[in-house]
Amino acid sequence: MITANSTASPWLEKLSVRYAASGFSGLLLFACFPIVNWNILVWVACVPLLVALIVEKRWLRAFWLGYLAGAVFLSGSCYWFVSVMQGYGNLNPVVAAGVLILFVIVFSTFYGVFGLIETAVARRSIFAALILGPFLWVAMELARTYLITGFPWNLLGYAVRPVGLQQVASVTAVYGLSFLAVITSALVTWALVERGRKVSLVALAAWTAILLAGNWLLEPPPQQPEPNVALLVQPNIPLGEAAMDSWAPWTNPGPVESLVSDSVEAARVSGATSAALPLIVWPETSAPFLYGRDPVFRGAIESMAKRVNAYVISGTVTFGGKGSSQPENAAVLLGPGGDLLLHYVKIHLVPFGEYVPWWAFPGKVGKITAEVGDFLPGKAVEVARTPEGVIGIFICYEAIFPQLVRKFAAGGAGVLVNISDDGWYGDSSAPFQHFEMARFRAIENGRFVLRGTNNGITAIIDPYGRVQKEIPRNQYGILTGHFRYLTKKTFYTENGDVFAWFCVAVAAGMVLVLLMPGFRRAAG
């Protein structure tokens, strides 16, 4: 059993060392993800923080230790906020940096709460605090998913890269991989701070063997030929008002007609017109594609669907609300006869992109989009049932929410289509991080994900999260590949966040029991 007098304690007596350890954990967490992408660090990233927390004596100081780790991590992960708000929100550098600072101040609180609870439990039992760690971490990630508008960006499990272990997400969602990573950090911490290290080292070695065996046992089967054809168009439309003016179909139909012509030719060359009906995907873009108000654009994609005898998906802006005056970020799905099969309106909007959160001084801080007023969110998850199979579409930022995308598969979707415009992120790490999160939605739901983006990363992802084909960023192209409509549902699709809520329950139960007045700290 670990005690407060363990061998690691003396050099951690200095508060400055504990704060340095906390900040170092934040750096390690940041380095797990693109662009640094040293994902092997995911297994030890929490170790410095855990060591600092289990020897800390003051609860409030523990909060700030956790808070510091979160602030460093979130600042590094989301540094691109500044360039996005400056470049597209027309904010000066100081105000743009202020948006990032405000975000970090708010969301680092979850890490602070983690630190406070870990230290509070460690005062009773350090061993129990290390057991609590992975359950509490998942509970905080679930809170970050649902609370304060929700921003589950770069949850720790996304950095777990062994393909076999990633399949755990089909049961637990990404939270299960976060759990595995924090267990590993807790065992390493035990080995570092325990005086007699034999038991802890044996436990760490056994756990490592379990991870290796699990990765081998869960290795996905070889890829098989698939019957359905997808054509994902990456138009690489530049951002900005000048580009919007030049791409407006009602004044300049040339660019849209060129996209139609290239899409039709790509379908012909692929042989898709002689096989099962193909699926053509045009992404979310900054171009003014207004399906409901622009007969030129509507006529172009309806004609394309008829000429190729294909299903066509396109991002568009529609209008709803009182007097149809509020913009909606939407997607339309047309059948091979040009008829509208699905009009899906994005449910989970982007803070600072499509609206300003209540806690971020609405009216003082602007959005990065050009439309007047906040976007109107959609109200329901909808899928389109076709003779080929059932299609579900989710838009851009919605890809980072496991519980939302799950609803499409639970509603019967046999293939998931993600349309996005990651051009707003520029040449930052954000597009690569966004792609990794979208890739996990395939694993969680056992579905092909067809990801069509304006400027990358456009890709076909199989149900095990393997990228079959992709187009590099910032290039024009049409990606032709194969997929299959699937019907078998994973445990996660059927049951949702059972595992994550189980972690919440275990964490809450442990905290209640361990902090009861009658409980005495273990001393053996």
Side-chain angles (χ1 to χ4, degrees), residues 55-360:
V55 300
E56 178 57 59
K57 296 178 175 61
R58 298 184 181 179
W59 293 17
L60 182 58
R61 211 151 54 191
F63 174 87
W64 292 116
L65 287 171
Y67 193 93
L68 175 61
V72 172
F73 167 56
L74 293 173
S75 298
S77 291
C78 302
Y79 71 92
W80 42 267
F81 274 29
V82 177
S83 60
V84 170
M85 297 302 297
Q86 186 179 352
Y88 302 110
N90 298 317
L91 300 181
N92 67 54
V94 174
V95 177
V99 172
L100 174 61
I101 291 170
L102 179 62
F103 162 79
V104 170
I105 288 172
V106 171
F107 280 89
S108 296
T109 303
F110 295 108
Y111 296 88
V113 172
F114 175 84
L116 186 153
I117 295 174
E118 275 289 293
T119 290
V121 171
R123 299 286 52 80
R124 298 300 184 93
S125 168
I126 294 177
F127 188 68
L130 292 178
I131 294 175
L132 171 66
F135 294 98
L136 182 59
W137 187 276
V138 170
M140 291 298 101
E141 287 195 337
L142 192 67
R144 189 150 67 91
T145 301
Y146 283 98
L147 302 181
I148 321 176
T149 75
F151 192 76
W153 192 273
N154 278 1
L155 301 182
L156 189 59
Y158 290 120
V160 174
R161 294 300 172 81
V163 176
L165 289 180
Q166 286 182 345
Q167 307 314 308
V168 170
S170 66
V171 176
T172 66
V174 66
Y175 307 108
L177 297 173
S178 300
F179 188 85
L180 296 182
V182 180
I183 284 180
T184 308
S185 284
L187 287 170
V188 173
T189 302
W190 183 19
L192 286 174
V193 303
E194 189 197 9
R195 179 171 293 167
R197 296 185 176 182
K198 186 175 180 181
V199 174
S200 60
L201 289 175
V202 169
L204 180 58
W207 176 247
T208 302
I210 289 171
L211 292 177
L212 292 172
N215 185 58
W216 176 69
L217 291 171
L218 296 174
E219 187 73 22
Q223 296 182 359
Q224 301 292 328
E226 306 297 350
N228 300 93
V229 175
L231 299 101
L232 311 181
V233 180
Q234 183 170 293
N236 200 31
I237 299 171
L239 303 179
E241 293 184 8
M244 291 180 68
D245 291 340
S246 66
W247 274 81
W250 58 89
T251 59
N252 181 22
V256 169
E257 291 174 353
S258 179
L259 281 182
V260 168
S261 177
D262 289 350
S263 300
V264 170
E265 177 63 15
R268 185 190 66 79
V269 170
S270 72
T273 52
S274 61
L277 298 188
L279 177 60
I280 299 175
V281 179
W282 284 14
E284 177 192 41
T285 72
S286 58
F289 291 166
L290 312 178
Y291 178 82
R293 295 189 175 183
D294 178 13
V296 177
F297 173 70
R298 184 170 64 251
I301 61 172
E302 287 176 351
S303 173
M304 177 173 66
K306 295 175 183 176
R307 288 170 62 186
V308 183
N309 194 33
Y311 296 97
V312 173
I313 291 172
S314 177
T316 183
V317 174
T318 55
F319 295 85
K322 187 176 181 180
S324 297
S325 60
Q326 284 186 270
E328 301 167 327
N329 191 346
V332 292
L333 169 63
L334 307 185
D339 49 320
L340 180 65
L341 301 182
L342 176 66
H343 170 214
Y344 171 71
V345 178
K346 185 179 182 182
I347 295 171
H348 212 301
L349 301 176
V350 181
F352 303 109
E354 293 159 329
Y355 77 106
V356 179
W358 59 267
W359 47 266

Side-chain angles (χ1 to χ4, degrees), residues 8-15 17-18 21 48 51-52 54-56 193:
S9 297
W11 62 271
L12 284 167
E13 286 297 320
K14 291 184 178 181
L15 179 60
V17 174
R18 296 198 295 278
V51 171
I54 63 175
V55 300
E56 178 57 59
V193 303

Side-chain angles (χ1 to χ4, degrees), residues 351-424:
F352 303 109
E354 293 159 329
Y355 77 106
V356 179
W358 59 267
W359 47 266
F361 309 109
K364 302 295 183 182
V365 176
K367 303 191 283 62
I368 64 172
T369 48
E371 281 79 10
V372 176
D374 286 343
F375 275 70
L376 190 68
K379 296 180 179 179
V381 168
E382 299 179 70
V383 297
R385 303 183 185 278
T386 76
E388 304 291 323
V390 185
I391 301 170
I393 308 168
F394 55 102
I395 301 174
C396 191
Y397 179 67
E398 292 183 319
I400 77 172
F401 293 94
Q403 79 280 10
L404 176 59
V405 177
R406 168 194 162 265
K407 292 179 181 178
F408 292 94
V415 66
L416 298 172
V417 179
N418 175 217
I419 62 172
S420 186
D421 184 356
D422 288 357
W424 302 102

Side-chain angles (χ1 to χ4, degrees), residues 24-41:
F24 186 51
S25 253
L27 289 174
L28 293 177
L29 289 167
F30 158 68
C32 290
F33 296 92
I35 284 180
V36 179
N37 216 22
W38 294 346
N39 50 78
I40 191 67
L41 295 176

